[in-house]
Amino acid sequence: MTMFRTLYGMLALCTLLLAPRTLPAQAAESLRTAEGTQRALPRAPRLPRTAFLENRTLVAAQLSPAGDAVAYLREKKDSRGLWLLPAGGGNARMLVGSTQADQLMWSRDGRWLFLRASRVLSIVGVDGRTGVRVPLGGTERRRVMKLDTSQPAAVLLGERVRAGTGERWRIVRMDARGQRTLLREDAHWIHDVALDAQGRIVALARFEGDHDALYRVRPDGTLREVLRLRPMDRLDLLGMQADGSLLMAGNPGGNFRRVMRLDANDRLQTLHQDPRGEADLDEVVIDPRTQQPLAASYRSTVAATYGIGDAQAVVADIARKLPDRDIGLQAGSGPYARWLVSERAPTLRDPRWYLYDPRNGNLRRILDDPGITANAPKEATLAPKIAIDYTASDGMRVHGFLLLPPGVDPARAPLVAQVHGGPINHFRAGYDGIAQFLANRGYVVFQSNFRGSTGHGRSYTFASNGDYGNGRVQQDIVEGVRWLLAQGIGDADRVGIVGHSFGGYSTLLGLTFQPELFKVGVAGAPPADLGWSMRWLVEAGDQGDLPDRSLRHTLQALSLDATDRATYTRLHAQSPLVNAGKLQRPLVIIAGGADRTVAIREVIHYTATLKALGRPLTLLVEPGGAHSPVDPIPREAYIFAMETMLQRHLGSPAPEPPGQRLRAYLRENLRLAGPEFAEFSSHQRRNPLLTDNSDAQE
């Protein structure tokens, strides 16, 4: 998630945790200013839980290549429609009344829209014509790669074809009427391609079996290797220039992801990178006509967007009009075409949308009718997200965020450490529904982008050295909490830990190995034995050895490949499962019954182990649920369970009573109810999953 400079600025707060030293005067003053400002504000009104379920009224919005129209997907009651808004003014009109699409792309000629859903690609004309529908996924593993900008209206598809007992991979061009053209067939999975003006593939990036590589494609189809990529190197091909150079985004040959050009002589040049030298490139804006880069955004620390080349003045003007905001940009074709601007912030649940006219500098709000903006919390009721950093006990600088509830004395408030999933992921500075929900309930929220997180450069990710058990990564989180307490932030007697997926695993670690610090935990979809979980993921999970990038090799690079006996033994020995007897603190676990990322059998086995030991525990399982809850009631149940658990053990006002549907859901799906949830379990039914260990992990 993204970062930007808030009213309070970035707090560059550095200290050694095990050997405390005085904070630099300026950083200490910034911290005191932020605390004082938040404490002096009136207490935010207590908002309903449902206010923090992120709004899906406006699903996606895209500017046409000419900048003369905005297409958007909008939820309305039980349907999702495709709408078209003229950029010059006038009313929007509906093109499609019902679609499951959640992404859309314009054709280069602006006459067609490609609507992508999880299982189908639909093509719709702006004049109301209906194009073809193409199934995605399936045995062909068909996927949409990108828009084909060499053609008036076409996309590139990646597909699998059987070849005897093996498989091969095709790149296919498909136009708006369904006409297919085979561009290349290869024995290797191709990540990305670049096309010349005639539509010929001139470069490709593919997986070679133990590494990725970038190739130039000769006119006869043969390949010439240009770059051999290191583990965790990422490369996106953005376009081909008239002089034969390739425009790219990625981190080959460097630490941070950036905008690059590979010239005709295969010399790699950096066109733009984070001026602060601490964040990866998050997004790059390309001119739809010239295919030149116009802007670059960095959101891992302080979110900022910079213009490139002739677009510098335009981007700077937009940024001045939306100060201290995270801006997302889409450009029309040509110097006088309109731009589509999204305004985002930690205190904005839903982005605000504008059209910017470079001819006069006018910034006009759009897509703001009550049906779209209804029920969004007012900004004054939400907590700003403050960027912090701290120095770990081994001297490494660790990044993170802090949310201080308005009108609350942080020294007297309970503190909750929220741990992100992945672990190859990171917290961003944008809106976070869980964090804002907790802050609204009076909790100080700490989000650590511990070493091993992404977004802060390749070396930061690899700094974990595979120590994802009860080791260095967990220590970053623990030391961050202790550092905050030492600065007078949070009540040391009321500290909790919450997280989902890897964050759930970290929650189990915290309650198991740091019970003197963490008094309660909420774990969503937690792997209780990371060694077993990583091995299962590779061998049986739906993120196993996928052709797009072998998970096994990624895990090997991160020293997390549990098919290696030494790695498995190390992670297993440090796991919450093996050390279940040490857990004494109250815990609630929330899981999906059909999770293909963290096996439900692993969650059930751990739960049964704790139950047999008589440990305090609640288990809530969504029948048929995947890795994260999607539907409204399971999502509300998730935060209700979190609020109930934290309130009982850290203190805060009692949760608002659940409605009839939520109460029924809890009664049906609480597989094990601790004392905090006794009212939803009038009788503790015998659950064979918790009393029979026949499905125990091997």
Side-chain angles (χ1 to χ4, degrees):
M1 315 230 163
T2 55
M3 291 198 63
F4 66 93
R5 190 181 304 272
T6 68
L7 174 65
Y8 313 110
M10 178 177 180
L11 304 180
L13 309 174
C14 304
T15 188
L16 290 175
L17 298 177
L18 298 186
R21 63 185 180 185
T22 303
L23 285 169
Q26 185 176 0
E29 183 60 33
S30 296
L31 179 57
R32 285 192 294 271
T33 299
E35 289 183 67
T37 301
Q38 285 300 99
R39 188 168 57 248
L41 294 173
R43 286 291 297 264
R46 184 182 175 88
L47 301 176
R49 284 185 298 272
T50 53
F52 299 94
L53 301 179
E54 295 180 34
N55 192 11
R56 295 284 292 171
T57 300
L58 192 62
V59 179
Q62 289 291 322
L63 182 69
S64 67
D68 58 355
V70 177
Y72 59 96
L73 296 167
R74 177 178 177 176
E75 296 274 12
K76 195 169 184 179
K77 294 185 179 179
D78 296 327
S79 65
R80 180 179 299 169
L82 171 66
W83 293 75
L84 195 65
L85 176 71
N91 296 326
R93 61 185 174 93
M94 179 184 288
L95 292 179
V96 176
S98 180
T99 177
Q100 295 300 311
D102 54 18
Q103 298 180 52
L104 56 86
M105 297 182 293
W106 283 89
S107 64
R108 191 196 71 187
D109 63 9
R111 298 171 59 190
W112 297 89
L113 285 157
F114 297 90
L115 309 182
R116 182 164 55 184
S118 60
R119 294 295 181 184
V120 67
L121 173 70
S122 303
I123 306 175
V124 179
V126 296
D127 58 2
R129 289 177 294 168
T130 301
V132 297
R133 287 170 56 90
V134 180
L136 302 177
T139 57
E140 297 88 359
R141 295 193 178 182
R142 184 179 294 118
R143 77 193 200 280
V144 179
M145 295 183 67
K146 63 193 337 177
L147 184 72
D148 183 350
T149 56
S150 73
Q151 307 296 308
V155 292
L156 298 181
L157 303 175
E159 301 176 340
R160 177 175 70 172
V161 291
R162 296 293 186 181
T165 59
E167 58 189 12
R168 293 179 65 81
W169 303 94
R170 288 178 175 171
I171 307 298
V172 176
R173 171 185 295 129
M174 190 186 73
D175 68 18
R177 293 178 172 80
Q179 181 67 39
R180 292 164 54 92
T181 304
L182 178 63
L183 299 184
R184 186 174 184 87
E185 186 172 305
D186 202 293
H188 298 276
W189 172 275
I190 298 175
H191 294 293
D192 202 359
V193 297
L195 307 177
D196 63 14
Q198 290 71 46
R200 184 179 68 88
I201 296 178
V202 292
L204 61 86
R206 73 180 189 182
F207 182 57
E208 298 283 284
D210 62 356
H211 69 281
D212 285 337
L214 174 66
Y215 290 89
R216 298 271 193 177
V217 182
R218 301 185 180 97
D220 63 359
T222 59
L223 302 178
R224 177 171 61 83
E225 184 174 311
V226 177
L227 291 174
R228 183 185 178 100
L229 305 185
R230 305 165 297 175
M232 296 297 291
D233 274 1
R234 296 292 183 262
L235 183 65
D236 296 317
L237 295 171
L238 303 177
M240 173 77 173
Q241 308 297 308
D243 62 358
S245 62
L246 292 171
L247 182 65
M248 306 185 302
N251 60 348
N255 184 24
F256 292 101
R257 182 174 168 85
R258 59 205 187 279
V259 186
M260 301 175 295
R261 178 171 55 219
L262 189 74
D263 70 15
N265 296 315
D266 295 335
R267 291 174 299 199
L268 197 60
Q269 304 168 343
T270 295
L271 300 182
H272 203 280
Q273 63 182 0
D274 180 24
R276 300 171 59 88
E278 59 185 25
D280 283 321
L281 174 74
D282 186 64
E283 187 176 19
V284 59
V285 180
I286 304 297
D287 188 309
R289 177 176 58 90
T290 66
Q291 296 297 296
Q292 292 293 327
L294 299 176
S297 297
Y298 304 87
R299 298 184 171 104
S300 305
T301 53
V302 175
T305 296
Y306 304 92
I308 300 175
D310 294 340
Q312 291 183 64
V314 167
V315 175
D317 187 45
I318 295 171
R320 280 193 297 270
K321 288 178 167 60
L322 298 171
D324 302 322
R325 295 296 201 176
D326 175 16
I327 56 174
L329 301 173
Q330 298 176 38
S333 180
Y336 303 115
R338 293 177 177 86
W339 291 54
L340 180 63
V341 181
S342 63
E343 175 192 5
R344 292 169 284 186
T347 50
L348 284 177
R349 188 186 67 179
D350 309 309
R352 294 172 181 161
W353 295 89
Y354 304 84
L355 281 169
Y356 176 82
D357 191 335
R359 294 170 299 181
N360 54 26
N362 180 52
L363 189 68
R364 175 168 59 89
R365 179 96 182 261
I366 60 170
L367 304 178
D368 59 347
D369 68 76
I372 292 177
T373 61
N375 302 319
K378 294 181 179 179
E379 283 201 77
T381 66
L382 301 181
K385 187 179 281 189
I386 304 165
I388 62 172
D389 58 64
Y390 54 97
T391 304
S393 55
D394 63 354
M396 183 168 178
R397 179 189 180 204
V398 181
H399 302 283
F401 297 98
L402 184 67
L403 286 84
L404 300 174
V408 171
D409 180 358
R412 298 175 180 272
L415 170 64
V416 175
Q418 182 189 11
V419 186
H420 69 67
I424 311 306
N425 201 344
H426 63 282
F427 285 115
R428 297 159 176 84
Y431 179 82
D432 184 316
I434 294 292
Q436 289 291 355
F437 172 72
L438 293 174
N440 184 256
R441 282 357 186 212
Y443 299 101
V444 172
V445 182
F446 166 57
Q447 299 178 326
S448 174
N449 278 334
F450 46 82
R451 73 190 73 191
S453 301
T454 53
H456 299 283
R458 184 177 182 274
S459 62
Y460 194 84
T461 300
F462 277 95
S464 62
N465 292 318
D467 199 2
Y468 288 97
N470 183 37
R472 186 63 259 180
V473 169
Q474 184 71 8
Q475 199 173 349
D476 279 355
I477 300 164
V478 171
E479 290 180 350
V481 172
R482 294 193 186 282
W483 171 76
L484 286 172
L485 294 172
Q487 311 314 313
I489 298 174
D491 180 346
D493 293 326
R494 296 190 294 160
V495 178
I497 182 168
V498 303
H500 194 85
S501 195
F502 179 84
Y505 167 72
S506 175
T507 296
L508 301 185
L509 286 175
L511 297 187
T512 301
F513 295 106
Q514 293 90 34
E516 78 289 349
L517 178 62
F518 299 114
K519 308 304 189 294
V520 63
V522 180
D529 181 345
L530 196 60
W532 187 92
S533 187
M534 292 296 98
R535 189 171 66 183
W536 180 85
L537 195 60
V538 168
E539 295 175 350
D542 64 359
Q543 296 181 33
D545 276 327
L546 295 174
D548 58 338
R549 189 182 305 275
S550 172
L551 176 66
R552 185 186 302 268
H553 289 95
T554 299
L555 295 177
Q556 285 176 349
L558 295 170
S559 301
L560 269 177
D561 178 18
T563 61
D564 172 69
R565 180 173 293 275
T567 300
Y568 175 86
T569 300
R570 170 174 56 85
L571 293 174
H572 178 69
Q574 298 180 32
S575 70
L577 176 63
V578 169
N579 296 278
K582 298 179 181 179
L583 186 139
Q584 302 291 335
R585 295 298 189 184
L587 167 68
V588 61
I589 294 177
I590 307 164
D595 192 341
R596 295 291 299 161
T597 301
V598 175
I600 188 62
R601 61 182 285 195
E602 179 180 6
V603 175
I604 294 298
H605 179 54
Y606 177 66
T607 302
T609 301
L610 292 179
K611 183 185 178 187
L613 293 169
R615 298 300 186 258
L617 178 69
T618 292
L619 174 64
L620 176 64
V621 177
E622 179 189 1
H627 189 52
S628 301
V630 175
D631 294 334
I633 291 299
R635 291 168 63 202
E636 186 182 358
Y638 193 115
I639 61 175
F640 174 78
M642 179 181 294
E643 180 182 19
T644 299
M645 203 69 178
L646 295 177
Q647 185 270 333
R648 291 291 183 91
H649 298 281
L650 301 184
S652 67
E656 61 182 293
Q660 184 176 354
R661 292 179 62 196
L662 177 55
R663 183 177 291 273
Y665 178 89
L666 294 169
R667 285 188 176 276
E668 181 65 26
N669 299 306
L670 276 168
R671 301 302 187 220
L672 188 65
E676 302 87 354
F677 300 91
E679 66 177 292
F680 305 107
S681 181
S682 56
H683 63 281
Q684 190 71 47
R685 60 180 178 270
R686 181 181 184 273
N687 189 332
L689 290 176
L690 297 178
T691 57
D692 182 358
N693 279 323
S694 61
D695 194 31
Q697 294 167 226
E698 299 174 358

